[in-house]
Amino acid sequence: MTATINLATEWGRQRLVRAVEGNDVIAYPTEAVWGLGCNPWSEFAVDTILALKQRPMHKGLILVAASVEQVRFLLDPLPSDLRQRAEQHWPGPVTCVVPDPLEQIPRWVRGDHDTIAVRVSAHPLVQRLCILAGMPLVSTSCNPAGREPARAPWQVSRYFPAGIDLMVSGALGGARQPSTIIDITTGETLR
């Protein structure tokens, strides 16, 4: 059974930190839909999410961060014009596909790409998650491949009666659609 926590409590905050450190899968509300997240440097946790979603690794996953500073390590190796293109969208509901020339993000998150999709969220709960975790987190919609993303906790439980270790209580951010995805190298809108 999935444990539910509230980040307003000290116990909830401690449990979240232990979950990220312990390679657990977390379900949480984002700007528009419920998301699944984990420590991106844990191959075990990422593999668990991919298996739950029935999503092939080669497609890659998104990272979500609390601030530009949390992803500064990805931006610093880039030319200044590309850094500025990404930063102009954050915080907010825009995911930027940025080059990862130093391969700082593991292949199990990047998939078959030499880029990584990154969003700096404006959602207070998502920001809090990433601050408590001390790192950007994997963020992918909470649904099996081909199904509509969960928009309520009961849908999360129905989609995944097992496999999610922790559910963070909270409200969606009010957006109607998942984040826009922009390739900052080409300027192309991918979603």
PDB file of all heavy atoms in Angstrom, residues 2-9 11-12 16 26-30 34 123-126 128-129 152-153 156 166-172:
ATOM      1  N   THR A   2       0.512   2.217  -0.803  1.00  0.00           N
ATOM      2  CA  THR A   2       1.272   3.448  -0.936  1.00  0.00           C
ATOM      3  C   THR A   2       1.040   4.352   0.268  1.00  0.00           C
ATOM      4  O   THR A   2      -0.101   4.634   0.633  1.00  0.00           O
ATOM      5  CB  THR A   2       0.844   4.196  -2.222  1.00  0.00           C
ATOM      6  OG1 THR A   2       1.042   3.324  -3.342  1.00  0.00           O
ATOM      7  CG2 THR A   2       1.649   5.459  -2.413  1.00  0.00           C
ATOM      8  N   ALA A   3       2.118   4.835   0.865  1.00  0.00           N
ATOM      9  CA  ALA A   3       2.021   5.786   1.970  1.00  0.00           C
ATOM     10  C   ALA A   3       1.756   7.180   1.407  1.00  0.00           C
ATOM     11  O   ALA A   3       2.314   7.557   0.378  1.00  0.00           O
ATOM     12  CB  ALA A   3       3.307   5.786   2.784  1.00  0.00           C
ATOM     13  N   THR A   4       0.905   7.950   2.071  1.00  0.00           N
ATOM     14  CA  THR A   4       0.626   9.334   1.675  1.00  0.00           C
ATOM     15  C   THR A   4       1.232  10.263   2.707  1.00  0.00           C
ATOM     16  O   THR A   4       1.090  10.040   3.910  1.00  0.00           O
ATOM     17  CB  THR A   4      -0.891   9.577   1.565  1.00  0.00           C
ATOM     18  OG1 THR A   4      -1.428   8.688   0.575  1.00  0.00           O
ATOM     19  CG2 THR A   4      -1.188  11.006   1.145  1.00  0.00           C
ATOM     20  N   ILE A   5       1.917  11.291   2.227  1.00  0.00           N
ATOM     21  CA  ILE A   5       2.541  12.245   3.132  1.00  0.00           C
ATOM     22  C   ILE A   5       2.090  13.667   2.820  1.00  0.00           C
ATOM     23  O   ILE A   5       1.626  13.953   1.719  1.00  0.00           O
ATOM     24  CB  ILE A   5       4.079  12.187   3.071  1.00  0.00           C
ATOM     25  CG1 ILE A   5       4.584  12.544   1.665  1.00  0.00           C
ATOM     26  CG2 ILE A   5       4.600  10.835   3.520  1.00  0.00           C
ATOM     27  CD1 ILE A   5       6.054  12.903   1.606  1.00  0.00           C
ATOM     28  N   ASN A   6       2.259  14.534   3.808  1.00  0.00           N
ATOM     29  CA  ASN A   6       1.987  15.952   3.667  1.00  0.00           C
ATOM     30  C   ASN A   6       3.291  16.674   3.963  1.00  0.00           C
ATOM     31  O   ASN A   6       3.867  16.495   5.045  1.00  0.00           O
ATOM     32  CB  ASN A   6       0.886  16.370   4.648  1.00  0.00           C
ATOM     33  CG  ASN A   6       0.479  17.802   4.474  1.00  0.00           C
ATOM     34  OD1 ASN A   6       1.295  18.660   4.148  1.00  0.00           O
ATOM     35  ND2 ASN A   6      -0.793  18.073   4.694  1.00  0.00           N
ATOM     36  N   LEU A   7       3.756  17.498   3.031  1.00  0.00           N
ATOM     37  CA  LEU A   7       5.027  18.176   3.216  1.00  0.00           C
ATOM     38  C   LEU A   7       4.956  19.307   4.233  1.00  0.00           C
ATOM     39  O   LEU A   7       5.978  19.897   4.581  1.00  0.00           O
ATOM     40  CB  LEU A   7       5.553  18.703   1.876  1.00  0.00           C
ATOM     41  CG  LEU A   7       5.907  17.640   0.846  1.00  0.00           C
ATOM     42  CD1 LEU A   7       6.460  18.278  -0.413  1.00  0.00           C
ATOM     43  CD2 LEU A   7       6.904  16.637   1.408  1.00  0.00           C
ATOM     44  N   ALA A   8       3.752  19.591   4.742  1.00  0.00           N
ATOM     45  CA  ALA A   8       3.616  20.597   5.800  1.00  0.00           C
ATOM     46  C   ALA A   8       4.062  20.050   7.151  1.00  0.00           C
ATOM     47  O   ALA A   8       4.237  20.807   8.099  1.00  0.00           O
ATOM     48  CB  ALA A   8       2.168  21.092   5.880  1.00  0.00           C
ATOM     49  N   THR A   9       4.250  18.730   7.230  1.00  0.00           N
ATOM     50  CA  THR A   9       4.659  18.128   8.501  1.00  0.00           C
ATOM     51  C   THR A   9       6.136  17.745   8.445  1.00  0.00           C
ATOM     52  O   THR A   9       6.669  17.403   7.382  1.00  0.00           O
ATOM     53  CB  THR A   9       3.841  16.862   8.810  1.00  0.00           C
ATOM     54  OG1 THR A   9       4.189  15.839   7.873  1.00  0.00           O
ATOM     55  CG2 THR A   9       2.342  17.131   8.748  1.00  0.00           C
ATOM     56  N   TRP A  11       7.417  15.068   9.733  1.00  0.00           N
ATOM     57  CA  TRP A  11       7.478  13.656   9.378  1.00  0.00           C
ATOM     58  C   TRP A  11       7.394  13.480   7.863  1.00  0.00           C
ATOM     59  O   TRP A  11       8.142  12.696   7.273  1.00  0.00           O
ATOM     60  CB  TRP A  11       6.347  12.876  10.058  1.00  0.00           C
ATOM     61  CG  TRP A  11       6.422  11.415   9.735  1.00  0.00           C
ATOM     62  CD1 TRP A  11       7.170  10.476  10.372  1.00  0.00           C
ATOM     63  CD2 TRP A  11       5.754  10.732   8.660  1.00  0.00           C
ATOM     64  NE1 TRP A  11       7.008   9.236   9.767  1.00  0.00           N
ATOM     65  CE2 TRP A  11       6.147   9.373   8.712  1.00  0.00           C
ATOM     66  CE3 TRP A  11       4.879  11.128   7.666  1.00  0.00           C
ATOM     67  CZ2 TRP A  11       5.673   8.423   7.813  1.00  0.00           C
ATOM     68  CZ3 TRP A  11       4.416  10.176   6.760  1.00  0.00           C
ATOM     69  CH2 TRP A  11       4.816   8.844   6.848  1.00  0.00           C
ATOM     70  N   GLY A  12       6.481  14.214   7.217  1.00  0.00           N
ATOM     71  CA  GLY A  12       6.331  14.115   5.769  1.00  0.00           C
ATOM     72  C   GLY A  12       7.593  14.537   5.035  1.00  0.00           C
ATOM     73  O   GLY A  12       8.016  13.891   4.071  1.00  0.00           O
ATOM     74  N   LEU A  16       9.969  12.075   2.776  1.00  0.00           N
ATOM     75  CA  LEU A  16      10.291  12.352   1.388  1.00  0.00           C
ATOM     76  C   LEU A  16      11.793  12.213   1.147  1.00  0.00           C
ATOM     77  O   LEU A  16      12.214  11.586   0.174  1.00  0.00           O
ATOM     78  CB  LEU A  16       9.833  13.752   0.973  1.00  0.00           C
ATOM     79  CG  LEU A  16      10.311  14.104  -0.446  1.00  0.00           C
ATOM     80  CD1 LEU A  16       9.462  13.405  -1.480  1.00  0.00           C
ATOM     81  CD2 LEU A  16      10.393  15.566  -0.668  1.00  0.00           C
ATOM     82  N   ILE A  26       7.860   8.235  -6.350  1.00  0.00           N
ATOM     83  CA  ILE A  26       6.972   9.192  -5.699  1.00  0.00           C
ATOM     84  C   ILE A  26       5.923   9.656  -6.703  1.00  0.00           C
ATOM     85  O   ILE A  26       6.244   9.958  -7.853  1.00  0.00           O
ATOM     86  CB  ILE A  26       7.788  10.407  -5.217  1.00  0.00           C
ATOM     87  CG1 ILE A  26       8.925   9.965  -4.303  1.00  0.00           C
ATOM     88  CG2 ILE A  26       6.901  11.438  -4.543  1.00  0.00           C
ATOM     89  CD1 ILE A  26      10.042  10.972  -4.194  1.00  0.00           C
ATOM     90  N   ALA A  27       4.673   9.749  -6.252  1.00  0.00           N
ATOM     91  CA  ALA A  27       3.603  10.356  -7.053  1.00  0.00           C
ATOM     92  C   ALA A  27       3.282  11.704  -6.419  1.00  0.00           C
ATOM     93  O   ALA A  27       3.186  11.811  -5.193  1.00  0.00           O
ATOM     94  CB  ALA A  27       2.369   9.466  -7.081  1.00  0.00           C
ATOM     95  N   TYR A  28       3.110  12.732  -7.257  1.00  0.00           N
ATOM     96  CA  TYR A  28       2.884  14.078  -6.723  1.00  0.00           C
ATOM     97  C   TYR A  28       2.146  14.936  -7.753  1.00  0.00           C
ATOM     98  O   TYR A  28       2.244  14.712  -8.961  1.00  0.00           O
ATOM     99  CB  TYR A  28       4.215  14.738  -6.336  1.00  0.00           C
ATOM    100  CG  TYR A  28       5.211  14.791  -7.463  1.00  0.00           C
ATOM    101  CD1 TYR A  28       5.313  15.904  -8.283  1.00  0.00           C
ATOM    102  CD2 TYR A  28       6.047  13.712  -7.717  1.00  0.00           C
ATOM    103  CE1 TYR A  28       6.219  15.944  -9.314  1.00  0.00           C
ATOM    104  CE2 TYR A  28       6.960  13.745  -8.740  1.00  0.00           C
ATOM    105  CZ  TYR A  28       7.045  14.870  -9.546  1.00  0.00           C
ATOM    106  OH  TYR A  28       7.940  14.898 -10.581  1.00  0.00           O
ATOM    107  N   PRO A  29       1.400  15.937  -7.268  1.00  0.00           N
ATOM    108  CA  PRO A  29       0.698  16.827  -8.197  1.00  0.00           C
ATOM    109  C   PRO A  29       1.670  17.830  -8.818  1.00  0.00           C
ATOM    110  O   PRO A  29       2.569  18.332  -8.150  1.00  0.00           O
ATOM    111  CB  PRO A  29      -0.330  17.526  -7.304  1.00  0.00           C
ATOM    112  CG  PRO A  29       0.227  17.459  -5.925  1.00  0.00           C
ATOM    113  CD  PRO A  29       1.087  16.233  -5.869  1.00  0.00           C
ATOM    114  N   THR A  30       1.491  18.082 -10.111  1.00  0.00           N
ATOM    115  CA  THR A  30       2.303  19.079 -10.815  1.00  0.00           C
ATOM    116  C   THR A  30       1.375  20.203 -11.281  1.00  0.00           C
ATOM    117  O   THR A  30       0.251  20.342 -10.800  1.00  0.00           O
ATOM    118  CB  THR A  30       3.049  18.453 -12.005  1.00  0.00           C
ATOM    119  OG1 THR A  30       2.115  18.118 -13.032  1.00  0.00           O
ATOM    120  CG2 THR A  30       3.849  17.220 -11.592  1.00  0.00           C
ATOM    121  N   TRP A  34      -0.952  14.651 -12.349  1.00  0.00           N
ATOM    122  CA  TRP A  34      -0.102  13.982 -11.365  1.00  0.00           C
ATOM    123  C   TRP A  34       1.128  13.456 -12.073  1.00  0.00           C
ATOM    124  O   TRP A  34       1.057  13.035 -13.233  1.00  0.00           O
ATOM    125  CB  TRP A  34      -0.880  12.857 -10.676  1.00  0.00           C
ATOM    126  CG  TRP A  34      -1.683  13.396  -9.540  1.00  0.00           C
ATOM    127  CD1 TRP A  34      -2.851  14.102  -9.631  1.00  0.00           C
ATOM    128  CD2 TRP A  34      -1.359  13.332  -8.153  1.00  0.00           C
ATOM    129  NE1 TRP A  34      -3.275  14.480  -8.370  1.00  0.00           N
ATOM    130  CE2 TRP A  34      -2.381  14.013  -7.452  1.00  0.00           C
ATOM    131  CE3 TRP A  34      -0.312  12.765  -7.430  1.00  0.00           C
ATOM    132  CZ2 TRP A  34      -2.371  14.140  -6.065  1.00  0.00           C
ATOM    133  CZ3 TRP A  34      -0.305  12.882  -6.051  1.00  0.00           C
ATOM    134  CH2 TRP A  34      -1.328  13.565  -5.383  1.00  0.00           C
ATOM    135  N   HIS A 123       5.313  25.617  -9.667  1.00  0.00           N
ATOM    136  CA  HIS A 123       4.353  25.021  -8.727  1.00  0.00           C
ATOM    137  C   HIS A 123       5.026  24.917  -7.359  1.00  0.00           C
ATOM    138  O   HIS A 123       6.067  24.265  -7.229  1.00  0.00           O
ATOM    139  CB  HIS A 123       3.936  23.644  -9.232  1.00  0.00           C
ATOM    140  CG  HIS A 123       2.812  23.023  -8.484  1.00  0.00           C
ATOM    141  ND1 HIS A 123       2.901  22.683  -7.165  1.00  0.00           N
ATOM    142  CD2 HIS A 123       1.555  22.678  -8.874  1.00  0.00           C
ATOM    143  CE1 HIS A 123       1.760  22.154  -6.756  1.00  0.00           C
ATOM    144  NE2 HIS A 123       0.923  22.144  -7.789  1.00  0.00           N
ATOM    145  N   PRO A 124       4.453  25.537  -6.320  1.00  0.00           N
ATOM    146  CA  PRO A 124       5.105  25.552  -5.003  1.00  0.00           C
ATOM    147  C   PRO A 124       5.399  24.157  -4.446  1.00  0.00           C
ATOM    148  O   PRO A 124       6.454  23.950  -3.847  1.00  0.00           O
ATOM    149  CB  PRO A 124       4.110  26.291  -4.108  1.00  0.00           C
ATOM    150  CG  PRO A 124       3.234  27.058  -5.033  1.00  0.00           C
ATOM    151  CD  PRO A 124       3.207  26.307  -6.332  1.00  0.00           C
ATOM    152  N   LEU A 125       4.510  23.200  -4.660  1.00  0.00           N
ATOM    153  CA  LEU A 125       4.743  21.863  -4.121  1.00  0.00           C
ATOM    154  C   LEU A 125       5.882  21.170  -4.855  1.00  0.00           C
ATOM    155  O   LEU A 125       6.730  20.523  -4.231  1.00  0.00           O
ATOM    156  CB  LEU A 125       3.473  21.022  -4.193  1.00  0.00           C
ATOM    157  CG  LEU A 125       3.582  19.689  -3.444  1.00  0.00           C
ATOM    158  CD1 LEU A 125       2.303  19.408  -2.675  1.00  0.00           C
ATOM    159  CD2 LEU A 125       3.878  18.558  -4.395  1.00  0.00           C
ATOM    160  N   VAL A 126       5.944  21.317  -6.160  1.00  0.00           N
ATOM    161  CA  VAL A 126       7.034  20.718  -6.931  1.00  0.00           C
ATOM    162  C   VAL A 126       8.361  21.362  -6.533  1.00  0.00           C
ATOM    163  O   VAL A 126       9.367  20.669  -6.353  1.00  0.00           O
ATOM    164  CB  VAL A 126       6.781  20.833  -8.452  1.00  0.00           C
ATOM    165  CG1 VAL A 126       7.968  20.305  -9.247  1.00  0.00           C
ATOM    166  CG2 VAL A 126       5.499  20.103  -8.846  1.00  0.00           C
ATOM    167  N   ARG A 128       9.042  22.626  -3.652  1.00  0.00           N
ATOM    168  CA  ARG A 128       9.357  22.124  -2.307  1.00  0.00           C
ATOM    169  C   ARG A 128       9.959  20.713  -2.384  1.00  0.00           C
ATOM    170  O   ARG A 128      10.903  20.390  -1.683  1.00  0.00           O
ATOM    171  CB  ARG A 128       8.081  22.132  -1.464  1.00  0.00           C
ATOM    172  CG  ARG A 128       8.257  21.754  -0.029  1.00  0.00           C
ATOM    173  CD  ARG A 128       8.830  22.937   0.742  1.00  0.00           C
ATOM    174  NE  ARG A 128       9.116  22.591   2.105  1.00  0.00           N
ATOM    175  CZ  ARG A 128       8.422  22.982   3.144  1.00  0.00           C
ATOM    176  NH1 ARG A 128       7.385  23.757   2.984  1.00  0.00           N
ATOM    177  NH2 ARG A 128       8.773  22.627   4.352  1.00  0.00           N
ATOM    178  N   LEU A 129       9.374  19.861  -3.236  1.00  0.00           N
ATOM    179  CA  LEU A 129       9.908  18.504  -3.422  1.00  0.00           C
ATOM    180  C   LEU A 129      11.385  18.541  -3.818  1.00  0.00           C
ATOM    181  O   LEU A 129      12.211  17.837  -3.237  1.00  0.00           O
ATOM    182  CB  LEU A 129       9.144  17.768  -4.522  1.00  0.00           C
ATOM    183  CG  LEU A 129       7.785  17.196  -4.224  1.00  0.00           C
ATOM    184  CD1 LEU A 129       7.143  16.701  -5.510  1.00  0.00           C
ATOM    185  CD2 LEU A 129       7.896  16.068  -3.224  1.00  0.00           C
ATOM    186  N   ALA A 152      -6.221  13.071 -10.446  1.00  0.00           N
ATOM    187  CA  ALA A 152      -6.713  12.963  -9.070  1.00  0.00           C
ATOM    188  C   ALA A 152      -6.012  11.786  -8.401  1.00  0.00           C
ATOM    189  O   ALA A 152      -5.607  10.833  -9.071  1.00  0.00           O
ATOM    190  CB  ALA A 152      -8.223  12.744  -9.065  1.00  0.00           C
ATOM    191  N   PRO A 153      -5.870  11.838  -7.067  1.00  0.00           N
ATOM    192  CA  PRO A 153      -5.201  10.740  -6.358  1.00  0.00           C
ATOM    193  C   PRO A 153      -5.848   9.382  -6.591  1.00  0.00           C
ATOM    194  O   PRO A 153      -5.141   8.376  -6.688  1.00  0.00           O
ATOM    195  CB  PRO A 153      -5.299  11.157  -4.886  1.00  0.00           C
ATOM    196  CG  PRO A 153      -5.456  12.644  -4.911  1.00  0.00           C
ATOM    197  CD  PRO A 153      -6.211  12.947  -6.177  1.00  0.00           C
ATOM    198  N   VAL A 156      -4.436   7.857  -9.652  1.00  0.00           N
ATOM    199  CA  VAL A 156      -3.085   7.345  -9.414  1.00  0.00           C
ATOM    200  C   VAL A 156      -3.177   5.931  -8.852  1.00  0.00           C
ATOM    201  O   VAL A 156      -2.527   5.000  -9.333  1.00  0.00           O
ATOM    202  CB  VAL A 156      -2.307   8.263  -8.440  1.00  0.00           C
ATOM    203  CG1 VAL A 156      -0.956   7.648  -8.088  1.00  0.00           C
ATOM    204  CG2 VAL A 156      -2.142   9.661  -9.016  1.00  0.00           C
ATOM    205  N   LEU A 166       5.405   6.276  -2.443  1.00  0.00           N
ATOM    206  CA  LEU A 166       5.002   7.447  -1.675  1.00  0.00           C
ATOM    207  C   LEU A 166       4.129   8.358  -2.520  1.00  0.00           C
ATOM    208  O   LEU A 166       4.448   8.604  -3.688  1.00  0.00           O
ATOM    209  CB  LEU A 166       6.267   8.205  -1.258  1.00  0.00           C
ATOM    210  CG  LEU A 166       6.205   9.174  -0.117  1.00  0.00           C
ATOM    211  CD1 LEU A 166       5.793   8.472   1.175  1.00  0.00           C
ATOM    212  CD2 LEU A 166       7.565   9.833   0.066  1.00  0.00           C
ATOM    213  N   MET A 167       3.020   8.843  -1.945  1.00  0.00           N
ATOM    214  CA  MET A 167       2.166   9.810  -2.618  1.00  0.00           C
ATOM    215  C   MET A 167       2.186  11.097  -1.785  1.00  0.00           C
ATOM    216  O   MET A 167       1.972  11.056  -0.579  1.00  0.00           O
ATOM    217  CB  MET A 167       0.738   9.295  -2.764  1.00  0.00           C
ATOM    218  CG  MET A 167      -0.136  10.234  -3.585  1.00  0.00           C
ATOM    219  SD  MET A 167      -1.833   9.644  -3.823  1.00  0.00           S
ATOM    220  CE  MET A 167      -1.562   8.149  -4.733  1.00  0.00           C
ATOM    221  N   VAL A 168       2.459  12.216  -2.445  1.00  0.00           N
ATOM    222  CA  VAL A 168       2.520  13.506  -1.775  1.00  0.00           C
ATOM    223  C   VAL A 168       1.167  14.182  -1.939  1.00  0.00           C
ATOM    224  O   VAL A 168       0.715  14.394  -3.072  1.00  0.00           O
ATOM    225  CB  VAL A 168       3.641  14.378  -2.373  1.00  0.00           C
ATOM    226  CG1 VAL A 168       3.681  15.733  -1.687  1.00  0.00           C
ATOM    227  CG2 VAL A 168       4.987  13.670  -2.266  1.00  0.00           C
ATOM    228  N   SER A 169       0.522  14.506  -0.827  1.00  0.00           N
ATOM    229  CA  SER A 169      -0.791  15.148  -0.920  1.00  0.00           C
ATOM    230  C   SER A 169      -0.620  16.601  -1.354  1.00  0.00           C
ATOM    231  O   SER A 169       0.367  17.254  -1.026  1.00  0.00           O
ATOM    232  CB  SER A 169      -1.540  15.059   0.412  1.00  0.00           C
ATOM    233  OG  SER A 169      -0.846  15.760   1.412  1.00  0.00           O
ATOM    234  N   GLY A 170      -1.587  17.080  -2.126  1.00  0.00           N
ATOM    235  CA  GLY A 170      -1.550  18.454  -2.612  1.00  0.00           C
ATOM    236  C   GLY A 170      -2.451  18.609  -3.821  1.00  0.00           C
ATOM    237  O   GLY A 170      -3.056  17.642  -4.287  1.00  0.00           O
ATOM    238  N   ALA A 171      -2.527  19.835  -4.317  1.00  0.00           N
ATOM    239  CA  ALA A 171      -3.416  20.166  -5.428  1.00  0.00           C
ATOM    240  C   ALA A 171      -2.621  20.402  -6.703  1.00  0.00           C
ATOM    241  O   ALA A 171      -1.471  20.843  -6.662  1.00  0.00           O
ATOM    242  CB  ALA A 171      -4.224  21.413  -5.088  1.00  0.00           C
ATOM    243  N   LEU A 172      -3.276  20.116  -7.819  1.00  0.00           N
ATOM    244  CA  LEU A 172      -2.690  20.448  -9.118  1.00  0.00           C
ATOM    245  C   LEU A 172      -2.569  21.970  -9.229  1.00  0.00           C
ATOM    246  O   LEU A 172      -3.280  22.715  -8.552  1.00  0.00           O
ATOM    247  CB  LEU A 172      -3.553  19.912 -10.257  1.00  0.00           C
ATOM    248  CG  LEU A 172      -3.692  18.392 -10.355  1.00  0.00           C
ATOM    249  CD1 LEU A 172      -4.642  18.021 -11.485  1.00  0.00           C
ATOM    250  CD2 LEU A 172      -2.344  17.728 -10.563  1.00  0.00           C
TER     251      LEU A 172
END
